[in-house]
Amino acid sequence: MAKLEVLVVVAVFMEMVSAASLGVVYTEGGMVEGENIRLGLFSSMDIFRGIPFADMPGRFEKPKRHPGWDGVLKTTEFKPRCLQMNVIMTDTRGSEDCLYLNIWVPHGRSVSTDLPVMVWIYGGGFLAGGSMGANFLDNYLYDGQEIADRGNVIVVTLGYRVGTLGLLSTGDSSLPGNYGLWDQQAAIAWVHRNIRSFGGDPDNITIFGESAGGASVNFQTLTPHNKGLIKRAISQSGVALCPWGINKNPRKLAEEIALKVNCPIDHTMGACLKMTDPVLLTKAGALSLPSSADHPIVFNLLLSPVVDGDFLPDEPSKLFHNAADIDYIIGVNDMDGHIFTALDVPSINSDLLETPVEDVRRLLASYTKEKGIAGLDNAYSTYTSSWGSDPSWETIKKTIVEIGTDYIFLVPSQAALYLHAANARTGRTYSYLFSEPNRMGGLLKPYPSWMGADHADDLQYVFGKPFTTPLGYWPSHRDVSGYIIAYWTNFAKTGDPNKGDLKVPTTWPRFTSTGHQFLEINAKMNSSNVKQMMRMRYVHFWTSILPNLAVNFSE
Ligand SMILES: *[C@@H]1O[C@H](CO)[C@@H](O)[C@H](O)[C@H]1NC(C)=O
Ligand SMILES: *[C@@H]1O[C@H](CO)[C@@H](O)[C@H](O)[C@H]1NC(C)=O
């Protein structure tokens, strides 16, 4: 072939396989342009980082629409997270200018249209977190690329205010609270209004989140302000009914924070707090440590949403009718309570230290303190009835983790599942238990050999890290990650985790008020992973027996 012909053939070929891209996208605020990356011969992805979905928020105010911009906004860098304490709690990081979102749009041979959309809400105890997640060697935890590519869905990750600036409430109209939830809502509404220009289907939006993000997902389904915006939802390890989900006495916390920043505790408190330096406010809301079995860490998580008569017109348990048409997956990790109980009772992680039985009593006494001695006695016999006369160290340590897991996550999640199923019209309900063991458990490792899935262990699998960084994982980890991405993205497309483009290892039946079926998710999945009545005895204790006990504080 002559040189020219070769060049022509090459040029034609290059044109044929040139990557599909949205190019410049028109949004309500103005034009944005992201980054286009090629993934394969016939696949590519547009990535937009740092699109503003609202204006810079006023302090302790609801978010406002962005005024817009002229020209093309380059959206190729993540924006700072919302102002918060740093990981080691010595200083603050982030900015008050933080209401931005990121979008991953996968394309095949041609530019995508009408794709289902998955909107991620991060966790971090309503105290920390960012839309892109922790960064390790330029690999961001909440990078949406693997989910978007494997599942052929659009992934959006949003930023919202946390800590004092996101959730402080005086319990009245002066500082009503819930600003972080309003931010999330503003982002969801922005996605609904704008995602069609990115190739998304606004009627096919799934919100998903973990921990405080899982509870946030639940709050977003319960508020009347999202009517018609959300089609489906996934709450991983967190629902609105968790003991840390709602602060019932926000005034007390507001006064403690006011004292720390030298504001008067009177009718001028709200005005004074509004004028206080945001860094001081953030530091005044930092998590107080250390904790113990007598003062468990979960009771220090107080900067939470409040029943404000607006975002939440009533107690969460009375609002599930607002989620009646939303398909909902709710689940927990089998040792979600481990990281928390290990702070309260550090000996549970040691093979060399005994954990005294007394620690089980102290932790249960804290969790049941509203019912006094009757609560403790009932709880103690419920959790120790299978112990025999001489429980092993391991049995005692595992019981502590079970108590924490049940109280902080598992039981409230079961209550949310019952309420969703009982209130549902068209909405389907699915329940799961994630049990892939933590990778730091076992011989010569910092965690005990009996470790299951700790809090937040699910995140790496949901975001496909075993594929992104294959050297850090075994093939079995890629199996679990593939299973979760298949169930999650099928669900986002069809409302049924079993039906969609990706094959699943076993059929996940719906949770019904009579069947109570759930799927146990791990690397070794087959049909025997479909189970029933998750920890029934303990759910019954916390939801029926304990609330009906007469209060008794005398010995
Ligand atoms: C959602 O997306 C799926 C897959 O693209 C499609 O089949 C379905 O019709 C869409 N709409 C709704 C409301 O589920
Ligand atoms: C499922 O897998 C377990 C081991 O992981 C095995 O013992 C069991 O027989 C399998 N069940 C079915 C129905 O294949």
Side-chain angles (χ1 to χ4, degrees), residues 268-332:
T268 65
M269 181 171 84
C272 175
L273 286 166
K274 272 195 181 194
M275 290 184 316
T276 301
D277 174 49
V279 167
L280 283 182
L281 285 169
T282 302
K283 287 183 173 168
L287 189 63
S288 74
L289 289 168
S291 65
S292 69
D294 301 319
H295 299 283
I297 184 85
V298 64
F299 294 156
N300 294 347
L301 294 171
L302 292 169
L303 278 166
S304 313
V306 293
V307 176
D308 59 352
D310 187 357
F311 194 89
L312 296 175
D314 205 342
E315 303 276 322
S317 66
K318 307 214 172 83
L319 295 171
F320 275 74
H321 57 92
N322 287 324
D325 293 317
I326 294 177
D327 302 313
Y328 204 175
I329 293 177
I330 299 176
V332 289

Coordinates of all heavy atoms in Angstrom, one line a residue, residues 268-332:
T268 N -30.1 36.3 72.4 CA -29.1 36.8 71.4 C -28.1 35.7 71.0 O -27.3 35.9 70.1 CB -28.3 38.0 71.9 OG1 -27.5 37.5 73.0 CG2 -29.2 39.1 72.4
M269 N -28.3 34.5 71.5 CA -27.4 33.4 71.2 C -27.2 33.1 69.7 O -26.1 33.0 69.2 CB -27.8 32.1 72.0 CG -26.8 31.0 71.8 SD -27.2 29.6 72.9 CE -28.5 28.8 72.0
G270 N -28.4 33.0 69.1 CA -28.4 32.6 67.6 C -27.6 33.7 66.8 O -26.8 33.4 66.0
A271 N -27.9 35.0 67.1 CA -27.3 36.1 66.4 C -25.8 36.1 66.6 O -25.0 36.3 65.7 CB -27.9 37.4 66.8
C272 N -25.4 35.8 67.9 CA -24.0 35.8 68.2 C -23.3 34.6 67.5 O -22.2 34.8 66.9 CB -23.8 35.7 69.7 SG -22.1 35.5 70.3
L273 N -23.9 33.4 67.5 CA -23.3 32.3 66.8 C -23.1 32.6 65.3 O -22.1 32.2 64.8 CB -24.2 31.0 67.0 CG -24.1 30.4 68.4 CD1 -25.2 29.4 68.6 CD2 -22.7 29.8 68.7
K274 N -24.1 33.3 64.7 CA -24.0 33.6 63.3 C -22.8 34.5 63.0 O -22.2 34.4 61.9 CB -25.2 34.3 62.8 CG -26.3 33.4 62.4 CD -27.4 34.1 61.6 CE -28.5 33.1 61.2 NZ -29.4 33.6 60.2
M275 N -22.4 35.3 64.0 CA -21.3 36.2 63.7 C -19.9 35.6 64.1 O -18.9 36.3 64.0 CB -21.5 37.5 64.4 CG -22.7 38.3 63.8 SD -22.9 39.9 64.6 CE -22.8 39.6 66.3
T276 N -19.9 34.4 64.7 CA -18.7 33.8 65.2 C -17.9 33.2 64.1 O -18.4 32.7 63.1 CB -19.0 32.8 66.3 OG1 -19.8 33.4 67.3 CG2 -17.8 32.1 66.8
D277 N -16.6 33.3 64.2 CA -15.6 32.7 63.2 C -15.9 31.3 63.0 O -16.1 30.4 63.9 CB -14.2 32.9 63.8 CG -13.2 32.2 62.9 OD1 -13.2 32.5 61.7 OD2 -12.4 31.4 63.4
P278 N -16.1 30.9 61.7 CA -16.5 29.5 61.3 C -15.5 28.5 61.8 O -15.9 27.3 62.1 CB -16.6 29.6 59.8 CG -15.9 30.8 59.4 CD -16.0 31.8 60.5
V279 N -14.2 28.8 61.9 CA -13.2 27.8 62.3 C -13.4 27.6 63.8 O -13.4 26.4 64.3 CB -11.8 28.4 62.0 CG1 -10.8 27.5 62.8 CG2 -11.5 28.3 60.5
L280 N -13.7 28.6 64.6 CA -14.0 28.4 66.0 C -15.2 27.6 66.2 O -15.2 26.7 67.1 CB -14.2 29.8 66.7 CG -12.9 30.6 67.0 CD1 -13.3 31.9 67.7 CD2 -11.9 29.8 67.8
L281 N -16.2 27.9 65.4 CA -17.5 27.1 65.5 C -17.2 25.7 65.2 O -17.7 24.8 65.9 CB -18.5 27.7 64.5 CG -19.2 29.0 64.9 CD1 -20.0 29.6 63.7 CD2 -20.1 28.8 66.1
T282 N -16.5 25.4 64.2 CA -16.2 24.0 63.8 C -15.4 23.3 64.9 O -15.8 22.2 65.3 CB -15.4 24.0 62.5 OG1 -16.1 24.7 61.5 CG2 -15.1 22.6 62.0
K283 N -14.4 24.0 65.5 CA -13.6 23.4 66.6 C -14.5 23.1 67.8 O -14.4 22.1 68.5 CB -12.5 24.2 66.9 CG -11.4 24.2 65.9 CD -10.2 25.0 66.3 CE -9.0 24.8 65.3 NZ -7.9 25.8 65.5
A284 N -15.5 24.0 68.1 CA -16.3 23.8 69.2 C -17.3 22.6 69.1 O -17.8 22.1 70.1 CB -17.1 25.1 69.5
G285 N -17.5 22.2 67.8 CA -18.3 21.0 67.6 C -17.6 19.7 67.4 O -18.2 18.7 67.1
A286 N -16.3 19.8 67.7 CA -15.5 18.5 67.5 C -15.9 17.4 68.4 O -16.4 17.7 69.5 CB -14.0 18.8 67.7
L287 N -15.8 16.2 67.9 CA -16.1 15.0 68.7 C -15.4 15.0 70.0 O -14.1 15.1 70.0 CB -15.8 13.8 67.9 CG -16.3 12.4 68.4 CD1 -17.8 12.4 68.4 CD2 -15.8 11.3 67.5
S288 N -16.1 14.8 71.1 CA -15.3 14.7 72.4 C -14.9 13.3 72.7 O -15.7 12.3 72.6 CB -16.1 15.3 73.5 OG -17.2 14.5 73.9
L289 N -13.7 13.1 73.1 CA -13.1 11.8 73.4 C -12.3 11.9 74.7 O -12.1 13.0 75.1 CB -12.1 11.4 72.2 CG -12.7 11.1 70.9 CD1 -11.6 11.0 69.8 CD2 -13.4 9.7 71.0
P290 N -11.9 10.9 75.4 CA -12.1 9.5 75.0 C -13.5 9.0 75.4 O -14.2 9.7 76.1 CB -11.1 8.7 75.8 CG -10.9 9.5 77.0 CD -11.1 11.0 76.6
S291 N -13.9 7.8 75.1 CA -15.1 7.2 75.5 C -14.8 6.0 76.3 O -13.7 5.6 76.5 CB -15.9 6.8 74.2 OG -15.3 5.7 73.6
S292 N -15.9 5.4 76.9 CA -15.7 4.2 77.7 C -17.1 3.4 77.7 O -18.1 3.9 77.2 CB -15.4 4.5 79.1 OG -16.5 5.1 79.8
A293 N -17.1 2.2 78.3 CA -18.3 1.5 78.4 C -19.4 2.3 79.1 O -20.6 2.1 78.9 CB -18.1 0.1 79.0
D294 N -19.0 3.1 80.0 CA -19.9 4.0 80.8 C -20.4 5.2 80.0 O -21.4 5.8 80.3 CB -19.3 4.4 82.1 CG -18.9 3.2 83.0 OD1 -19.7 2.2 83.0 OD2 -17.8 3.2 83.5
H295 N -19.5 5.6 79.1 CA -19.9 6.8 78.2 C -19.6 6.4 76.8 O -18.6 6.9 76.2 CB -19.1 8.0 78.7 CG -19.4 8.5 80.1 ND1 -20.5 9.1 80.4 CD2 -18.7 8.3 81.2 CE1 -20.5 9.3 81.7 NE2 -19.4 8.8 82.2
P296 N -20.4 5.6 76.2 CA -20.0 5.1 74.8 C -20.0 6.2 73.8 O -20.7 7.2 73.9 CB -21.2 4.1 74.5 CG -21.9 3.9 75.8 CD -21.6 5.0 76.7
I297 N -19.1 6.0 72.8 CA -18.8 7.0 71.8 C -20.1 7.4 71.1 O -20.2 8.6 70.7 CB -17.8 6.5 70.8 CG1 -17.3 7.5 69.8 CG2 -18.2 5.2 70.1 CD1 -16.3 8.4 70.2
V298 N -21.0 6.5 70.9 CA -22.2 6.8 70.1 C -23.0 8.0 70.7 O -23.6 8.7 70.0 CB -23.1 5.6 69.9 CG1 -23.6 5.0 71.2 CG2 -24.2 5.8 68.9
F299 N -22.9 8.1 72.0 CA -23.6 9.2 72.7 C -23.0 10.6 72.4 O -23.5 11.6 72.8 CB -23.8 9.0 74.2 CG -24.7 7.8 74.5 CD1 -24.5 7.1 75.7 CD2 -25.6 7.3 73.6 CE1 -25.3 6.0 76.0 CE2 -26.4 6.3 73.9 CZ -26.3 5.6 75.1
N300 N -21.8 10.6 71.9 CA -21.1 11.9 71.6 C -21.4 12.4 70.2 O -21.0 13.5 69.8 CB -19.6 11.7 71.7 CG -19.2 11.4 73.2 OD1 -20.0 11.6 74.1 ND2 -17.9 11.0 73.4
L301 N -22.1 11.5 69.4 CA -22.5 12.0 68.0 C -23.7 12.8 68.1 O -24.8 12.2 67.9 CB -22.6 10.7 67.1 CG -21.3 9.9 66.9 CD1 -21.6 8.6 66.2 CD2 -20.3 10.8 66.1
L302 N -23.6 14.0 68.4 CA -24.8 14.9 68.7 C -25.2 15.9 67.7 O -26.2 16.5 67.7 CB -24.6 15.6 70.1 CG -24.6 14.6 71.3 CD1 -24.1 15.3 72.5 CD2 -26.0 14.0 71.5
L303 N -24.2 16.2 66.8 CA -24.5 17.2 65.7 C -25.3 16.4 64.6 O -24.7 16.1 63.6 CB -23.2 17.8 65.2 CG -22.8 19.0 66.1 CD1 -21.3 19.4 65.7 CD2 -23.7 20.2 65.9
S304 N -26.5 16.2 64.9 CA -27.4 15.3 64.0 C -28.5 16.2 63.5 O -28.8 17.2 64.0 CB -27.9 14.1 64.8 OG -26.9 13.5 65.5
P305 N -29.3 15.6 62.5 CA -30.5 16.3 62.1 C -31.5 16.4 63.3 O -31.4 15.7 64.3 CB -31.1 15.3 61.0 CG -29.8 14.7 60.5 CD -28.9 14.5 61.6
V306 N -32.5 17.3 63.1 CA -33.5 17.6 64.1 C -34.9 17.6 63.5 O -35.0 17.8 62.3 CB -33.2 18.9 64.8 CG1 -32.0 18.9 65.6 CG2 -33.2 20.1 63.8
V307 N -35.9 17.3 64.3 CA -37.3 17.4 63.8 C -37.6 18.9 63.9 O -37.8 19.5 64.9 CB -38.2 16.6 64.7 CG1 -39.7 16.8 64.3 CG2 -37.9 15.1 64.6
D308 N -37.5 19.6 62.7 CA -37.6 21.0 62.6 C -39.0 21.5 62.1 O -39.2 22.7 62.0 CB -36.5 21.6 61.7 CG -36.7 21.0 60.3 OD1 -37.5 20.1 60.1 OD2 -35.9 21.4 59.4
G309 N -39.9 20.6 61.9 CA -41.2 21.0 61.4 C -41.2 21.5 59.9 O -42.2 22.0 59.4
D310 N -40.1 21.3 59.2 CA -40.0 21.8 57.9 C -39.4 20.7 57.0 O -40.1 19.9 56.4 CB -39.1 23.1 57.8 CG -39.1 23.7 56.4 OD1 -39.7 23.1 55.5 OD2 -38.5 24.8 56.3
F311 N -38.0 20.5 57.1 CA -37.4 19.4 56.4 C -38.0 18.1 56.9 O -38.4 17.2 56.2 CB -35.9 19.3 56.5 CG -35.3 18.4 55.6 CD1 -34.9 18.8 54.3 CD2 -35.0 17.1 55.9 CE1 -34.3 18.0 53.4 CE2 -34.5 16.2 55.0 CZ -34.1 16.6 53.8
L312 N -38.1 18.0 58.3 CA -38.8 16.8 58.9 C -40.0 17.3 59.7 O -39.8 17.8 60.8 CB -37.8 16.1 59.9 CG -36.5 15.5 59.2 CD1 -35.6 15.0 60.3 CD2 -36.9 14.4 58.3
P313 N -41.2 17.2 59.1 CA -42.4 17.7 59.8 C -42.7 16.9 61.1 O -43.5 17.3 61.9 CB -43.5 17.5 58.8 CG -42.8 17.0 57.5 CD -41.4 16.6 57.8
D314 N -42.1 15.7 61.2 CA -42.5 14.8 62.4 C -41.3 13.8 62.6 O -40.3 13.8 61.9 CB -43.7 14.0 62.0 CG -44.5 13.6 63.2 OD1 -43.9 13.5 64.3 OD2 -45.7 13.2 63.1
E315 N -41.4 13.0 63.7 CA -40.5 12.0 63.9 C -40.3 11.1 62.7 O -41.3 10.8 62.0 CB -41.0 11.0 65.0 CG -41.4 11.7 66.3 CD -40.2 11.8 67.2 OE1 -39.4 10.9 67.2 OE2 -40.1 12.9 67.8
P316 N -39.0 10.7 62.4 CA -38.8 9.9 61.2 C -39.8 8.6 61.1 O -40.3 8.4 60.0 CB -37.4 9.4 61.3 CG -36.7 10.5 62.1 CD -37.8 11.0 63.0
S317 N -40.0 8.0 62.2 CA -40.9 6.7 62.1 C -42.3 7.0 61.6 O -43.0 6.2 61.2 CB -40.9 6.0 63.5 OG -41.6 6.9 64.4
K318 N -42.7 8.3 61.7 CA -44.0 8.7 61.3 C -44.1 9.2 59.9 O -45.1 9.7 59.4 CB -44.6 9.7 62.2 CG -44.5 9.3 63.7 CD -45.7 9.8 64.5 CE -45.8 9.2 65.9 NZ -44.9 10.0 66.8
L319 N -42.9 9.2 59.1 CA -42.9 9.8 57.8 C -42.7 8.8 56.7 O -42.5 9.2 55.5 CB -41.7 10.8 57.8 CG -41.9 12.0 58.7 CD1 -40.6 12.9 58.7 CD2 -43.1 12.9 58.2
F320 N -42.7 7.5 57.0 CA -42.4 6.5 55.9 C -43.4 6.5 54.8 O -43.1 5.9 53.7 CB -42.2 5.1 56.6 CG -40.8 4.9 57.1 CD1 -40.3 5.5 58.2 CD2 -39.8 4.1 56.3 CE1 -39.0 5.4 58.7 CE2 -38.5 4.0 56.8 CZ -38.1 4.6 57.9
H321 N -44.6 7.0 55.0 CA -45.6 7.1 53.9 C -45.0 8.0 52.8 O -45.4 7.8 51.6 CB -46.9 7.7 54.4 CG -46.7 9.1 55.1 ND1 -46.9 10.3 54.4 CD2 -46.4 9.4 56.3 CE1 -46.6 11.3 55.2 NE2 -46.4 10.8 56.4
N322 N -44.1 8.9 53.1 CA -43.5 9.7 52.0 C -42.5 8.8 51.1 O -42.1 9.3 50.0 CB -42.7 10.8 52.6 CG -43.6 11.9 53.1 OD1 -44.7 12.2 52.5 ND2 -43.3 12.5 54.2
A323 N -42.2 7.6 51.6 CA -41.3 6.8 50.8 C -42.0 5.6 50.1 O -41.4 4.7 49.6 CB -40.2 6.2 51.7
A324 N -43.4 5.7 50.1 CA -44.2 4.6 49.7 C -43.9 4.1 48.2 O -44.1 3.0 47.9 CB -45.7 4.9 49.9
D325 N -43.5 5.1 47.4 CA -43.3 4.7 46.0 C -41.8 4.6 45.7 O -41.4 4.6 44.5 CB -44.0 5.7 45.1 CG -45.5 5.6 45.2 OD1 -46.0 4.4 45.2 OD2 -46.1 6.6 45.3
I326 N -40.9 4.6 46.7 CA -39.5 4.5 46.4 C -39.0 3.1 46.7 O -39.4 2.5 47.7 CB -38.7 5.5 47.4 CG1 -39.1 6.9 47.0 CG2 -37.2 5.3 47.3 CD1 -38.5 8.0 47.9
D327 N -38.3 2.5 45.7 CA -37.7 1.2 45.9 C -36.5 1.4 46.9 O -35.8 2.3 46.7 CB -37.2 0.6 44.6 CG -38.3 0.5 43.6 OD1 -39.4 -0.1 43.9 OD2 -38.1 0.9 42.4
Y328 N -36.4 0.5 47.9 CA -35.4 0.8 48.9 C -34.6 -0.5 49.3 O -35.2 -1.5 49.7 CB -36.2 1.3 50.1 CG -35.3 2.2 51.1 CD1 -36.0 2.8 52.2 CD2 -34.0 2.4 50.9 CE1 -35.3 3.6 53.1 CE2 -33.3 3.2 51.8 CZ -33.9 3.8 52.9 OH -33.2 4.6 53.7
I329 N -33.3 -0.4 49.3 CA -32.4 -1.4 49.8 C -31.8 -0.9 51.1 O -31.3 0.2 51.1 CB -31.2 -1.8 48.8 CG1 -31.7 -2.4 47.6 CG2 -30.2 -2.6 49.5 CD1 -30.6 -2.7 46.5
I330 N -31.9 -1.7 52.2 CA -31.3 -1.3 53.5 C -30.5 -2.5 54.0 O -31.0 -3.6 53.9 CB -32.4 -0.9 54.5 CG1 -33.3 0.2 54.0 CG2 -31.8 -0.6 55.9 CD1 -34.4 0.6 55.0
G331 N -29.3 -2.2 54.4 CA -28.5 -3.3 55.0 C -27.4 -2.8 55.9 O -27.2 -1.6 56.1
V332 N -26.8 -3.8 56.6 CA -25.7 -3.5 57.5 C -24.5 -4.4 57.3 O -24.7 -5.4 56.6 CB -26.2 -3.6 59.0 CG1 -27.2 -2.5 59.4 CG2 -26.8 -4.9 59.3

